Amino acid sequence: MPERPYSRYTRTKTWAGVFSQHINAGYVLVPYSATNNSIAVIRCKDAKEAQATMRELLHHANECEAFYATKQAPEQAPAILARARHAVVLAKSSDYYHYHLADHPEFSLVVCGLHDSYLHLPVWEMRTNRRYEPRATAVAISSPDFARLRCTQFGHTILVGALINGDTTARAFLASLPLRTQSRINREVGEAQETRYRGRPLAFLTEAQRREIGSRISVGLRRYHERRRLQAI
């Protein structure tokens, strides 16, 4: 499997794939559940069931809107949402560790453009429109091809993710590498587990919340420019 340039994968492209591929993938998007970087979905066995479930959800759109607008607890969800699961939307599945999303236990699915890691959650990948079970990787670490792939960024992030989760196959593979390589990878795994992300965190705001924040910013900017004009007089 040739390594692809990582710049091709963005959250914007992942979102585009979500809206265009969800029926064929057997996923239904729950109305009014989307935030900046997450959405609730319902898993179906095939496209036919997904279409039927989507039509049923649309009949209950008002209930969905009321539930997500008031941020009710999951146990208070209407019956139509009993199977709904919240998914985080990422450019790459390895971003789950980059943003330390283990701090968000509400997510039970990762949606990504490229599945380049090892996660304890199921993954829906846009590149192949495929659903991976928890702890499944795009290329098996035990496969003969992985030794070559490990030297690429793609293979390396798979190995690091597996080691973060304590996968026994990954540990055995690491033990077969030179000692200096083992030491370097172990150091990277430790840093990934201990270092906290210092950049701007992922936002999970609804459309109404974004508009409210935008309105406050607009008011603040108007006041700022009014003060500037008064000072210039």
Side-chain angles (χ1 to χ4, degrees):
M1 177 179 176
E3 184 177 17
R4 293 170 178 262
Y6 270 40
S7 59
R8 296 184 185 182
Y9 301 100
T10 64
R11 284 197 296 274
T12 300
K13 291 180 179 179
T14 302
W15 274 113
V18 167
F19 288 111
S20 63
Q21 298 172 199
H22 68 98
I23 291 295
N24 287 333
Y27 281 105
V28 175
L29 310 181
V30 178
Y32 299 103
S33 67
T35 71
N36 294 43
N37 296 297
S38 68
I39 191 168
V41 300
I42 295 176
R43 172 70 171 166
C44 300
K45 63 181 180 181
D46 53 32
K48 185 177 179 180
E49 182 186 343
Q51 289 176 325
T53 304
M54 185 173 66
R55 287 193 293 269
E56 186 179 3
L57 271 175
L58 291 175
H59 285 304
H60 295 268
N62 290 339
E63 295 176 53
C64 296
E65 182 178 19
F67 175 72
Y68 290 108
T70 56
K71 296 184 178 180
Q72 299 177 49
E75 57 270 18
Q76 297 175 304
I80 190 67
L81 297 179
R83 294 165 52 204
R85 298 293 180 267
H86 221 61
V88 62
V89 179
L90 303 170
K92 309 177 296 295
S93 59
S94 57
D95 289 340
Y96 185 88
Y97 299 111
H98 178 69
Y99 292 111
H100 290 276
L101 293 175
D103 298 337
H104 293 267
E106 68 270 22
F107 295 125
S108 54
L109 174 70
V110 171
V111 182
C112 60
L114 176 70
H115 182 30
D116 66 338
S117 193
Y118 175 115
L119 298 176
H120 65 288
L121 299 175
V123 175
W124 172 22
E125 182 192 55
M126 295 298 105
R127 182 176 67 95
T128 57
N129 205 21
R130 175 181 171 184
R131 184 181 191 273
Y132 290 87
E133 295 300 318
R135 298 178 175 80
T137 53
V139 178
I141 297 173
S142 58
S143 72
D145 295 332
F146 190 78
R148 174 188 57 79
L149 198 67
R150 197 275 307 173
C151 298
T152 67
Q153 184 178 2
F154 181 80
H156 180 70
T157 53
I158 289 176
L159 180 61
V160 170
L163 291 169
I164 288 173
N165 283 271
D167 182 77
T168 54
T169 303
R171 287 178 174 175
F173 181 87
L174 180 66
S176 70
L177 300 177
L179 290 178
R180 288 183 63 183
T181 303
Q182 290 184 45
S183 177
R184 175 175 56 81
I185 293 177
N186 279 326
R187 185 166 59 252
E188 184 175 344
V189 170
E191 290 173 352
Q193 292 173 311
E194 297 170 7
T195 304
R196 309 312 296 170
Y197 176 64
R198 296 183 181 277
R200 179 180 296 177
L202 285 186
F204 299 103
L205 303 175
T206 63
E207 180 64 27
Q209 289 171 321
R210 290 196 295 271
R211 289 179 180 177
E212 180 185 353
I213 292 172
S215 175
R216 290 203 301 265
I217 292 173
S218 297
V219 170
L221 284 173
R222 285 198 299 271
R223 289 175 178 170
Y224 169 77
H225 288 294
E226 286 173 0
R227 287 197 298 268
R228 290 289 301 271
R229 284 196 296 271
L230 289 172
Q231 290 172 358
I233 296 175

